[in-house]
Each structure stands twice: as structure tokens, then as C-alpha cells.
């Protein structure tokens, strides 16, 4: 009798997990399709890095404008531009510009992938539903399929009404927790035609050192 009860419990648990995974996949597909439907996206965000054991507690902010694979990323006083071919990292403090080819590594999360990275390489299930500042935020838990990944889990908070990503909480196996909270999410903005164009002559004129990798 005990064996039958255990089997029923295991079957019920497996069924519940499968249903949770299916719901999570449906929600993530809705988010992905919503993101892909926009001509361009602007995100202003808060970035927090915490590790209690290492006594690390850092907070900063940044913003990124994305159109297809192209992006303009402002973070920690520097700017990174991808024009579809090359990546330009501009550091005003050092008066330097580093030019390099687009990364070919599939696992590299670039700003243009930050809203769609979850489509590959993860198992997922529904997590808690929270009300934050009057908004219903449904969290989905993502676990890397690769057991050698340095990431233990990712919680992706999704606005249930807009299907926009509101928060990302990444927990590393070393205890480091990275949290990205979206302060502002704008779509289909009027962008300058030269927003994703690097003007090398301008920076040379201003005395910047150009590094080509």
C-alpha cells in the first residue's frame, strides 16, 4: 500500500512539474513574441551585485537602446555600440575606443540578447506571483541545462499584463546574486538614423586613442 501511495505521489509531482513547465514555456513564448514585434526598445535599468561572504554590495544604473541586433549601451561611465558588424567600446575617462569584431560565442549574452537569452539552454518552471507597485509580476525559474554552468538559477519577473520583463535575479554557484530591475521600458521610439553609426573621425579629432582588436 505504501508503495502505491509513493508511486501516486511521484506521478502527481511529475505531472505538476510538467504543467508548470508548460505554463512557463507559454509565458516565455509570449514575452519573446512581444519583444520581437517591436521596431526598437529602450530600457533604463538598475543593476545590483551582492555577495555576503565576499562583502560585496554594489548598485549602479544603465540604459540600452536596441533595434534588431544593433544596440547602444551606456553603463559605468562607458558606452558600447554595435552597428551590426563591429563592437565599439568608448571610455571617455581614458579617452579610448576599442574596436572589435562581433563575438561568435553563442553563450555570450549581449545587450541585444538580454530580453531573449532564455530561449535556449534552460529548463524552466513557474515560480511565485507578486504584486509590486500595483503590478502583477509572475516569476519564472530558469535552471541551466549545462551542469557545468557557473549559474545556479535565474528568476525572471514578468509583468503579467504587458508581458514585459520587469526583473532578472541571477544566482551564481559562488553565492553571487545579480539583480537587474527595469525602471523604464519604451518601445518604437523615433531614433536618429546615425544612432548606431560610429564616427571615427569625430573621436580622432577629440584625441581619443583607437585600439583595434
Amino acid at each position: 500500500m505504501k508503495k502505491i501511495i509513493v508511486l501516486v505521489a511521484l506521478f502527481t509531482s511529475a505531472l505538476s512539474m510538467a504543467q508548470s513547465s508548460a505554463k512557463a514555456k507559454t509565458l516565455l513564448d509570449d514575452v519573446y513574441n512581444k519583444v520581437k514585434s517591436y521596431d526598437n526598445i529602450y530600457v533604463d535599468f538598475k543593476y545590483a551585485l551582492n555577495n555576503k561572504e565576499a562583502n560585496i554590495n554594489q548598485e549602479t544604473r544603465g540604459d540600452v537602446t536596441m533595434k534588431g541586433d544593433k544596440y547602444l549601451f551606456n553603463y559605468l561611465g562607458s558606452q558600447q555600440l554595435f552597428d551590426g558588424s563591429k563592437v565599439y567600446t568608448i571610455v571617455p575617462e581614458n579617452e579610448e575606443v576599442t574596436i572589435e569584431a562581433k563575438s561568435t560565442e553563442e553563450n555570450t549574452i549581449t545587450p541585444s540578447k538580454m530580453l531573449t537569452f532564455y530561449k535556449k539552454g534552460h529548463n524552466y518552471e513557474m515560480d511565485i506571483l507578486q504584486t509590486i507597485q500595483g503590478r502583477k509580476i509572475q516569476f519564472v525559474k530558469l535552471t541551466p541545462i549545462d551542469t557545468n554552468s557557473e549559474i545556479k538559477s535565474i528568476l525572471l519577473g514578468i509583468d503579467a499584463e504587458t508581458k514585459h520583463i520587469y526583473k532578472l535575479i541571477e544566482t551564481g554557484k559562488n553565492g553571487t546574486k545579480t539583480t537587474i530591475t527595469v525602471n523604464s521600458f519604451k518601445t518604437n521610439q523615433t531614433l536618429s538614423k546615425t544612432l548606431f553609426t560610429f564616427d571615427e573621425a569625430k573621436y580622432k579629432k577629440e584625441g581619443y586613442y583607437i585600439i583595434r582588436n
Side-chain angles (χ1 to χ4, degrees), residues 64-181:
V64 59
T65 301
M66 298 170 280
K67 181 179 174 66
D69 286 337
K70 299 178 182 180
Y71 62 79
L72 180 63
F73 183 40
N74 295 293
Y75 180 67
L76 291 176
S78 64
Q79 187 176 78
Q80 190 172 84
L81 168 70
F82 178 56
D83 62 5
S85 175
K86 295 180 180 179
V87 178
Y88 306 85
T89 303
I90 304 158
V91 185
E93 185 179 355
N94 300 334
E95 294 190 336
E96 283 184 355
V97 177
T98 302
I99 304 174
E100 52 194 335
K102 176 185 178 182
S103 174
T104 56
E105 296 181 23
E106 287 190 6
N107 293 328
T108 302
I109 298 180
T110 62
S112 54
K113 294 180 184 177
M114 67 184 294
L115 299 178
T116 58
F117 74 93
Y118 52 80
K119 287 292 286 182
K120 294 181 181 179
H122 298 89
N123 293 316
Y124 30 74
E125 59 183 298
M126 298 293 274
D127 205 88
I128 62 173
L129 175 66
Q130 287 187 329
T131 299
I132 302 175
Q133 296 178 347
R135 300 161 65 187
K136 296 288 186 182
I137 305 297
Q138 174 65 61
F139 283 87
V140 175
K141 184 176 182 180
L142 290 83
T143 307
I145 294 173
D146 181 4
T147 55
N148 294 319
S149 173
E150 295 180 0
I151 299 171
K152 181 180 179 181
S153 65
I154 297 172
L155 281 173
L156 204 59
I158 298 163
D159 187 310
E161 182 179 350
T162 65
K163 299 299 190 292
H164 292 164
I165 294 174
Y166 168 71
K167 181 172 285 191
L168 181 151
I169 305 170
E170 177 186 287
T171 302
K173 290 180 179 177
N174 63 355
T176 299
K177 182 176 287 187
T178 304
T179 304
I180 297 175
T181 305

Side-chain angles (χ1 to χ4, degrees), residues 172-200:
K173 290 180 179 177
N174 63 355
T176 299
K177 182 176 287 187
T178 304
T179 304
I180 297 175
T181 305
V182 174
N183 296 321
S184 177
F185 190 105
K186 299 178 182 178
T187 63
N188 300 336
Q189 302 291 289
T190 301
L191 305 179
S192 165
K193 292 181 180 180
T194 60
L195 184 64
F196 304 108
T197 302
F198 177 70
D199 187 349
E200 184 169 340

